Structure formats: C-alpha cells, structure tokens
Amino acid sequence: MPDWQEILRRDGPAVWRIAYRLLNNRADADECFQETFLAALELSRRQTVRNWPALLQRLAAARAVDRLRERCRRRRREQATDWNTLAGHEPPPSRGAEEAELAQRLRDALAQIPVQQAEVFYLHVLEEWSYQEIAEQLSLSINGVGVLLHRARKRLRELLASDAEQTNSRKDRS
Amino acid sequence: MTNIPPSPSPDDSLDRAAAALRRTSVPEGPAEETIARTLAALRSAETATVPFYRRKPMRYIWKIAVAGLLAVGVAVYLTGILSPRPPLAFAEVAAKLRDTRTLTYKVTIKIPKSNKTITTKVFFKEPGRMRSEGEGQVSIADQKQNKILLLVSKTKTAMLIEYKKGKNAEEGGNIFATIERLRKLAGKTSESVGKKQIGDIEVEGFRTEEEGVKLTVWADPKSRLPILIEMPIRAEDGEMFMTIGDFQFDPKLDDDLFPLEPPEGYQLRKMVVEEGKPEDRVINLLRAYASKFDGRFPAAMSVANADWQAYFNKLGNDKKAKGPPDAEVMRWAEQVVRVNMLLLRKKDSGYKPNSVKLGDRDKIIFWYRPDKAEEYRAVYGDLHVADVTADQLPEKPKK
C-alpha cells in the first residue's frame, strides 16, 4: 500500500498550487486537493504507479478543470436569468486588477474547451511539462499531444478575443 | 518536470493571459487541516466502506448487536492483515488483460543478428481500434470497418487500406494478432518461473503458451497487474525477441487517437485489398517477383529483405514514381507483410526458396496448414497448389 503520509508531504504542495492557481479559491482548492488524492488511490488499484508526482499533478489539473467547467455552467445558468443587470457596470480595472482579470479570462476560457485540451494546455504552458511527459501521463502519442495543444491554443485565442470584444462593446455602451 | 522555457509574446493575448495566470499569487498550502482530512479520507477509502458517522441513529439493542458484529468484523479484518495475501495467480493477471476496455503498452523487438531494436507504442480501445506508433510511422486500424490508415511522417504520405473479404478467405496475419494473443491468455495454464527485479518491483513470473508461442508473463504481486511479457518470435533468418511492457489499464483514450482521416498536409492514397487465400497471395507475389528477376524467387518473405527492396525499387523506377511511395509499391509491400505475418504466426507454415526456380513442378516453396485441416497446403515452383502430408514438406514442421 502506498505511504500516503509521505506522498502527501512530498507532493501535496505541488497539487495544492495547481488546484489554487486554476480555481483561485481556497475552499475549492481544498476540495480539489482531496479529490485528487482519492482519484490517485482509485487509479493505483488499477495500475502500477511509477511516477506519483506526475500522476498527482496531472490529476490535480484534470480535477481543477472539471470544477472550472462546473463553475462556468453554473454561472451561465445564473447569467441567463440576470444578464441585463450585470452588463455594462464594470469599473475600469487597475493595473493589478487587469492582470487578475486576464488570468480569470483564461480560467473561463479553459472551462469552455474540451477537458483533455485544457489539461494538455495547462500542463505544457503553465507547468512546463514536455510533450513526452504529457504523452506518458495521459496515454497519448506525442503527435496527439501536439494536435491537442494546437487545438487548445486556437480555441483559447478565439475565446479570449471574443471575450475582449464583448467587454469593449459593454464599455462603449456605458 | 523538464523545464521548457516559455516564450511569451507581448502581442499575443493568450501568452499574456498565460503569463498572468502563472504569476497568480498562491497562498501557502495546503493547510495542516486539509492534509489531515485528506489522509483520513484516503485511509477510510482504503479500508472501510461506509463511515460509521454516516449511519442512522440506532436503538440501544441494535447498538449492542452492531457492536458485536463490529468486533467480529475487526477480528476478521485483523486476521486479513496478519495473514499473508493469497499467492498471485496467473489467471488473475491474465483476466486483467482480457477485461480491459482500453490498454496502452510498448512493444520492443530485438533482432539479435543485426543488433537492432524496434520500439512501438500501442494504444488499444474497444471496440477493435488500435494505433501503433514507431519508426516514423503510425498505423491506425479499425477492425469493424476493416480499414487501416498508414501515416509516414517523413514523406507526409497517408495510405488508407480497406480490406474486403473475398470468397474462401483464410485467417491470415493481422495487426491485432498481439493484442488478441494477450487477451486469450485467460484460461491458459501456466508454470511459475520464480521472481526477478524490474526497477523497484520484485515481480513474479509465469510461463505459458499460446498458439505455439511460449510467453513469460512477469506480474507485480502487490498490484496484481502484468508488468512485462516476454516472447520469442519466429523470423526467417533466426529468432527475434519481443517484450511488451509499460502497460496502462483502462486509461482514458480519446477517440481523436484513432482517426481514419489523415492529418492536414498529408497526401492520401487509397487501396482496396480483396482478402483471399494465403496461397493465392503467395502465388501472385512469387509470379510478380520472378517475372522481374529471371525466374528467381525472393530469399525471404519480408519487406526488410534486400530482394524485396530491389523489387520495389525496380517497380518504382519502372513507373518513374517521385515523391510519396507509389500505390503499386504499397500494394505489393502490404501483401508481403501479410504473408510474413502468417509465417510468423503459424508455426506449421514455411517458406523455403532454396534452389527453387519458377517452373520447378516437384519442389515445394511455400506451405501452411489451414485451420482444422490435417494436410498442408503447398505451393510448388511452377506455382501450382496441392494438399500434401507433413513428410512431403521440404522440412519437418516445427512443434
């Protein structure tokens, strides 16, 4: 049986960082943290784990993206009923807030692309994993990683551009 | 993880957003409380089923009864901990291979004569889809559609082969042969071959046999999963060794891995192959080869063999093909591969071109035993076919 205490001590901080960076909320990051380890336990029953840190980081990214998607769906439902009250009332962002907003836009965009694309993008761009490492962890081919990353970038750019357009038009209206 | 320097472009909104996300300040964590809660959840998931605190309130008498049962349960549980785990059984390991819906593994073939190693990564997904990658080539097969897409990255060539079953088609070699062999291991008998160390794991070995091929399966007694499978495979010029490892059971495999459409920029050729009897395929190949080489036959039935390379070059030159491999060459190469796979797969088959020339009506050049047949189907030097007994063959069939 794996020595969970040791694994938590060694890999916990990296898992936490990924969860928090993507979810930007302590309570969500805490839940994602626990889910990640429980998912790892399940997986270890089905296959021999040779690289715990990589497995846990990959699972953390996947779980966090799942939560982002859920959050996005919930927000859409709420916006559908209350969109008019939200539009056009944003204060002009400060420099720090602009950076935070940019990061948030990317989180929102990641929630709108296919899970595997989001996972591959996050691991490569934010965690700086190589194609080879991603391919091994996600059971993909190296070509497959390249294709997913290309699609993710393309779609994220489109989403960010459309989001920026919407923001500008709201500003113009106000 | 490997450090890959990011290359943000200030003009790119995505790069700026990624940089902003990377700079997000993350509070120190996880909190001790989170760690403790997670550890408790892990331990609970490892052992208990329903946590005690979630149970409904009980009447006093039931509490006593439950306490008694709990005591028995704890005793049984402790007995379980103190007594050794049941010995690892081959059937258990083989069942994992049979029952998995998706599977990835790495195949390594060592050719002792040339000291060459060929490595292929394989992705399998039910129902009947497989992707193999290695040596600059990718092949994607769909068993339901009877199609294979071959991709050669260097020449950006794609070849889509569709197999149409002809009359009296015999079971030949197919690219699912290895996975089918692995899945058939469940139900086979085995003998223990002891233990050895693979990386950090002390594995247990089992020797078994499938269709005449002796396999050694090494499994992890803790996870009870196969770690490595070793098997020798027959080749015309000696024996090669195949190892299958790096297994992943039931991984999430995206359907995007198994497209039958080539990627953008690839030049696509299509080919329809009528499946027929192996002897018809062999006769066509031998006739085609002998017609270009003064009635001689190729030394081996393998695309890697120099004779076939010369034949393909000749075919390519005749047609003055440039760029991607000509469909005609691919068509013949595919036929050679299929005969080669049949020779590798069936121990009661053979190809002996020694001193046989086109027109020799008494010399057998190729033979195999059809499924469930007693006699062998043999092709002679003059390319006629006859059913023969084992003692008429140029060499004794291998057992």
Side-chain angles (χ1 to χ4, degrees):
Chain A
M1 269 184 207
D3 181 351
W4 289 113
Q5 199 154 11
E6 169 59 18
I7 293 173
L8 274 163
R9 186 199 58 74
R10 188 190 60 206
D11 303 321
V15 170
W16 164 260
R17 178 173 44 78
I18 292 171
Y20 191 91
R21 192 189 253 171
L22 274 167
L23 297 165
N24 203 28
N25 172 307
R26 186 175 271 278
D28 281 355
D30 273 349
E31 282 183 27
C32 178
F33 181 85
Q34 186 167 321
E35 275 176 17
T36 299
F37 281 92
L38 288 171
L41 167 78
E42 268 311 304
L43 218 111
S44 70
R45 286 176 169 154
R46 284 187 279 127
Q47 66 186 60
T48 308
V49 178
R50 295 188 180 186
N51 188 343
W52 280 100
L55 172 74
L56 286 163
Q57 288 177 42
R58 188 260 283 184
L59 288 174
R63 292 284 90 80
V65 168
D66 278 348
R67 279 181 170 265
L68 278 180
R69 291 166 75 84
E70 176 51 36
R71 214 190 258 177
C72 185
R73 277 196 293 271
R74 209 182 316 134
R75 202 168 50 229
R76 267 198 207 134
R77 281 197 297 271
E78 286 162 8
Q79 279 179 349
T81 55
D82 204 15
W83 172 250
N84 290 332
T85 58
L86 291 169
H89 293 285
E90 291 167 9
S94 68
R95 206 176 170 76
E98 196 177 357
E99 176 118 330
E101 189 186 302
L102 206 52
Q104 189 53 46
R105 278 186 186 167
L106 181 54
R107 289 187 192 101
D108 291 346
L110 283 168
Q112 292 173 63
I113 64 174
V115 180
Q116 210 168 27
Q117 287 181 23
E119 235 179 286
V120 168
F121 176 85
Y122 182 83
L123 292 173
H124 182 66
V125 177
L126 276 300
E127 294 298 320
E128 298 175 4
W129 284 25
S130 68
Y131 279 27
Q132 176 77 38
E133 286 162 338
I134 296 174
E136 278 169 16
Q137 274 303 312
L138 270 66
S139 297
L140 293 169
S141 64
I142 290 180
N143 278 349
V145 173
V147 170
L148 285 171
L149 195 59
H150 174 76
R151 287 181 187 162
R153 282 186 196 280
K154 187 167 177 278
R155 189 73 191 111
L156 288 170
R157 279 198 180 99
E158 287 167 3
L159 287 165
L160 288 172
S162 125
D163 189 35
E165 263 175 38
Q166 280 178 17
T167 310
N168 288 339
S169 70
R170 281 204 296 272
K171 275 178 195 163
D172 291 346
R173 278 205 303 273
S174 66
Chain B
M1 298 297 123
T2 309
N3 281 334
I4 300 168
S7 50
S9 148
D11 301 328
D12 188 300
S13 60
L14 179 58
D15 287 341
R16 280 191 292 120
L21 185 56
R22 199 177 295 117
R23 283 194 293 267
T24 301
S25 78
V26 176
E28 205 172 305
E32 285 303 319
E33 191 197 331
T34 308
I35 295 177
R37 203 171 47 231
T38 305
L39 190 58
L42 286 165
R43 288 187 172 149
S44 161
E46 266 182 342
T47 55
T49 48
V50 183
F52 191 74
Y53 56 80
R54 282 198 202 154
R55 291 179 191 164
K56 289 178 183 171
M58 289 175 285
R59 290 208 328 235
Y60 182 69
I61 187 77
W62 289 112
K63 278 186 182 172
I64 294 171
V66 169
L69 286 172
L70 203 62
V72 174
V74 168
V76 170
Y77 174 60
L78 285 177
T79 315
I81 289 178
L82 298 175
S83 55
R85 294 187 80 183
L88 179 60
F90 174 71
E92 198 181 348
V93 177
K96 294 263 168 54
L97 288 162
R98 182 197 56 203
D99 297 338
T100 185
R101 302 289 299 166
T102 57
L103 178 70
T104 67
Y105 54 87
K106 206 180 263 180
V107 178
T108 307
I109 297 176
K110 281 187 185 151
I111 309 165
K113 269 198 171 177
S114 60
N115 214 15
K116 200 181 169 194
T117 302
I118 301 167
T119 304
T120 312
K121 173 125 195 197
V122 180
F123 305 81
F124 172 76
K125 184 174 188 177
E126 289 279 22
R129 282 175 296 170
M130 194 161 87
R131 178 188 178 103
S132 316
E133 295 181 352
E135 305 285 306
Q137 289 193 22
V138 174
S139 67
I140 298 154
D142 190 316
Q143 226 171 8
K144 256 190 177 174
Q145 296 190 48
N146 273 326
K147 286 180 183 172
I148 296 180
L149 179 69
L150 301 173
L151 302 171
V152 183
S153 57
K154 199 175 174 186
T155 55
K156 297 263 175 202
T157 311
M159 170 68 78
L160 183 67
I161 305 169
E162 186 179 350
Y163 293 94
K164 293 214 161 151
K165 287 229 166 179
K167 275 185 185 171
N168 304 320
E170 281 278 355
E171 174 67 17
N174 75 69
I175 72 163
F176 286 87
T178 304
I179 183 102
E180 280 169 4
R181 181 168 282 158
L182 296 182
R183 304 201 109 180
K184 279 186 196 165
L185 291 179
K188 300 270 172 199
T189 53
S190 70
E191 57 176 282
S192 172
V193 290
K195 294 180 179 182
K196 75 171 182 179
Q197 197 75 20
I198 299 180
D200 296 336
I201 306 167
E202 189 183 51
V203 291
E204 274 181 51
F206 303 92
R207 189 159 294 142
T208 186
E209 195 172 324
E210 159 60 21
E211 285 189 11
V213 178
K214 289 194 167 98
L215 298 101
T216 309
V217 179
W218 297 97
D220 178 2
K222 279 187 190 159
S223 68
R224 306 173 102 74
L225 292 171
I227 299 291
L228 189 75
I229 297 176
E230 299 170 324
M231 66 175 109
I233 48 176
R234 286 178 57 204
E236 285 123 23
D237 51 353
E239 204 160 56
M240 302 189 287
F241 294 96
M242 184 195 272
T243 56
I244 307 173
D246 284 359
F247 289 100
Q248 273 199 302
F249 289 85
D250 291 313
K252 202 165 92 183
L253 294 184
D254 204 290
D255 284 345
D256 287 356
L257 270 176
F258 309 94
L260 286 175
E261 303 263 316
E264 229 177 274
Y266 273 67
Q267 193 174 346
L268 176 66
R269 309 268 181 136
K270 289 185 178 175
M271 190 165 100
V272 177
V273 177
E274 295 280 348
E275 294 215 50
K277 293 178 183 172
E279 58 269 34
D280 295 340
R281 197 174 293 129
V282 170
I283 289 170
N284 284 339
L285 282 168
L286 293 179
R287 183 178 288 126
Y289 183 92
S291 70
K292 291 206 181 297
F293 289 94
D294 305 323
R296 281 189 298 112
F297 291 128
M301 276 289 175
S302 157
V303 283
N305 179 268
D307 285 354
W308 280 110
Q309 294 288 329
Y311 175 78
F312 298 142
N313 284 338
K314 208 161 186 166
L315 208 59
N317 290 339
D318 286 353
K319 297 182 81 67
K320 296 192 169 43
K322 281 183 182 170
D326 189 80
E328 191 70 0
V329 173
M330 294 286 270
R331 190 167 76 84
W332 287 107
E334 194 273 342
Q335 296 288 305
V336 176
V337 169
R338 287 176 77 77
V339 175
N340 184 245
M341 288 181 80
L342 177 125
L343 288 165
L344 295 177
R345 199 176 177 208
K346 281 189 175 282
K347 63 177 179 179
D348 39 17
S349 66
Y351 176 73
K352 273 269 172 264
N354 308 12
S355 73
V356 185
K357 276 194 168 179
L358 185 66
D360 287 346
R361 62 172 297 109
D362 302 324
K363 291 181 178 170
I364 293 173
I365 182 167
F366 167 84
W367 67 94
Y368 77 102
R369 191 159 63 88
D371 292 341
K372 295 173 191 162
E374 296 221 333
E375 292 199 312
Y376 290 77
R377 185 92 23 100
V379 175
Y380 285 76
D382 65 348
L383 305 182
H384 83 274
V385 182
D387 286 336
V388 299
T389 54
D391 53 7
Q392 288 176 275
L393 297 174
E395 64 181 27
K396 272 191 172 178
K398 291 180 180 72
K399 296 211 170 167

